[in-house]
Amino acid sequence: ANRQLVESMPRSKFFRAALHDEPGNYSALVISPKNEYVQEVVRHESLYNALIMFGNGHTIDFMTIDVEGAEFSLLKTLHGNI
């Protein structure tokens, strides 16, 4: 999440996560400390696993996900697990 968004919602919790159809290590563009995009191999979780890990049994009131063209895959995951 970007700093401005985080600062505008001080009572919210933000989790940095990469999502994929299947958990594993995949290449992704990430923002470096120099505020530049760099290609890195990062750990990805399925949306279902992320909801379990980050929700921890609590209600999630609002969630935003930048899926970068994987909308249908995400919807398929939601339909099959929720």
Side-chain angles (χ1 to χ4, degrees):
N2 71 38
R3 179 181 300 231
Q4 190 175 21
L5 178 63
V6 171
E7 289 173 351
S8 72
M9 297 195 249
R11 295 181 11 183
S12 299
K13 290 183 182 179
F14 291 84
F15 300 95
R16 185 175 179 161
L19 302 178
H20 199 278
D21 290 349
E22 296 292 328
N25 296 319
Y26 299 95
S27 182
L29 284 175
V30 298
I31 299 177
S32 74
K34 294 180 180 180
N35 210 27
E36 300 171 335
Y37 282 101
V38 294
Q39 195 83 26
E40 289 184 12
V41 175
V42 296
R43 177 73 188 167
H44 287 64
E45 292 296 337
S46 68
L47 176 61
Y48 182 74
N49 287 351
L51 289 172
I52 291 170
M53 288 187 308
F54 301 134
N56 197 24
H58 297 12
T59 299
I60 298 172
D61 296 317
F62 176 79
M63 176 184 248
T64 180
I65 302 171
D66 183 0
V67 296
E68 299 289 331
E71 290 85 354
F72 290 111
S73 177
L74 175 67
L75 291 172
K76 191 166 136 183
T77 300
L78 287 173
H79 179 71
N81 291 296
I82 294 179

